[in-house]
Amino acid sequence: LAKTTQPISMDSYEGQEVNITCSHNNIATNDYITWYQQFPSQGPRFIIQGYKTKVTNEVASLFIPADRKSSTLSLPRVSLSDTAVYYCLLTGANNLFFGTGTRLTVIP
Amino acid sequence: NAGVTQTPKFQVLKTGQSMTLQCAQDMNHNSMYWYRQDPGMGLRLIYYSASEGTTDKGEVPNGYNVSRLNKREFSLRLESAAPSQTSVYFCASSGPGPRLYEQYFGPGTRLTVT
């Protein structure tokens, strides 16, 4: 299982932009990079997915350099409700290793 | 659509007892998954089923069995529960769509083995 490495935790003040970086040196050609968000006592939910360059949706942006060995999830202007655990996964052919994720705490 | 449903929501077992966790999805997804999440940890894949009639081991299959009863249902069985199996169990499904392998998760079953 191809694994990813993320910071264990991050703190941010409300209204700031938060960038969470994920390292995935052994990414395979067929792998996509997918991020999930998990609130306490709930299952994870999909945030964003990308293969290369930049992807943006209504909640986040995902930046992927040309070598694809890392990726950065960017959350603009976080609020208290963004406090959660964020997981970076490589998804392809049932490659499903969630890892421990990054616990983001947003401070008022 | 209910999405992914799991029963029961909570369960307490004594060591050595058996039980089956039920999962069902109404999204016509081909793939289904069982994960466990220990306190403060990430999710670990127990078993998955890429399609009806097939099942494969994940990262932590020991002590568990699964059945893909039909396209909708995927059950997880603990034959002889142990305290080390105290955890929250999540079922998920994924299927054809714009986002490759996007998984939809159920609400979880909180299991305590004493």
Side-chain angles (χ1 to χ4, degrees), chain A residues 86-101:
Chain A
Y86 293 83
Y87 296 96
C88 165
L89 279 77
L90 303 182
T91 47
N94 288 324
N95 180 13
L96 300 164
F97 183 78
F98 267 80
T100 55

Side-chain angles (χ1 to χ4, degrees), chain A residues 2 24-29 31-33 51 67-70 90:
Chain A
H24 29 79
N25 290 319
N26 296 324
I27 188 168
T29 303
D31 285 338
Y32 280 69
I33 299 153
Y51 186 81
D67 66 6
R68 303 200 329 124
K69 293 186 184 297
S70 66
L90 303 182

Side-chain angles (χ1 to χ4, degrees), chain A residues 30 39-40 64 78 93-94:
Chain A
N30 294 336
F39 297 113
I64 306 168
V78 293
N94 288 324

Side-chain angles (χ1 to χ4, degrees), chain A residues 7-74:
Chain A
I8 292 175
S9 64
M10 296 179 69
D11 294 337
S12 175
Y13 287 102
E14 221 176 350
Q16 290 190 327
E17 178 183 74
V18 171
N19 294 311
I20 305 174
T21 297
C22 180
S23 173
H24 29 79
N25 290 319
N26 296 324
I27 188 168
T29 303
N30 294 336
D31 285 338
Y32 280 69
I33 299 153
T34 307
W35 287 79
Y36 284 81
Q37 176 191 55
Q38 185 180 26
F39 297 113
S41 302
Q42 295 184 24
R45 67 170 188 170
F46 175 94
I47 302 176
I48 197 166
Q49 182 182 79
Y51 186 81
K52 61 181 178 181
T53 64
K54 177 183 174 183
V55 179
T56 297
N57 62 22
E58 61 276 9
V59 297
S61 295
L62 180 60
F63 299 92
I64 306 168
D67 66 6
R68 303 200 329 124
K69 293 186 184 297
S70 66
S71 58
T72 300
L73 174 73
S74 181

Side-chain angles (χ1 to χ4, degrees), chain B residues 6-27:
Chain B
Q6 294 183 235
T7 55
K9 287 188 169 51
F10 301 93
Q11 184 71 49
V12 179
L13 290 178
K14 289 184 168 35
T15 298
Q17 287 185 319
S18 63
M19 79 161 295
T20 300
L21 281 64
Q22 306 286 354
C23 174
Q25 52 91 10
D26 62 1
M27 295 173 283

Side-chain angles (χ1 to χ4, degrees), chain B residues 1-69:
Chain B
N1 284 352
V4 179
T5 57
Q6 294 183 235
T7 55
K9 287 188 169 51
F10 301 93
Q11 184 71 49
V12 179
L13 290 178
K14 289 184 168 35
T15 298
Q17 287 185 319
S18 63
M19 79 161 295
T20 300
L21 281 64
Q22 306 286 354
C23 174
Q25 52 91 10
D26 62 1
M27 295 173 283
N28 201 35
H29 284 167
N30 291 323
S31 300
M32 297 185 74
Y33 314 85
W34 276 106
Y35 293 90
R36 62 176 287 175
Q37 185 171 36
D38 299 332
M41 304 291 287
L43 283 80
R44 292 185 292 171
L45 182 65
I46 305 171
Y47 272 94
Y48 66 96
S49 170
S51 62
E52 188 178 352
T54 68
T55 60
D56 285 288
K57 295 178 181 179
E59 190 183 354
V60 288
N62 291 344
Y64 305 95
N65 286 303
V66 290
S67 295
R68 184 72 184 269
L69 305 169

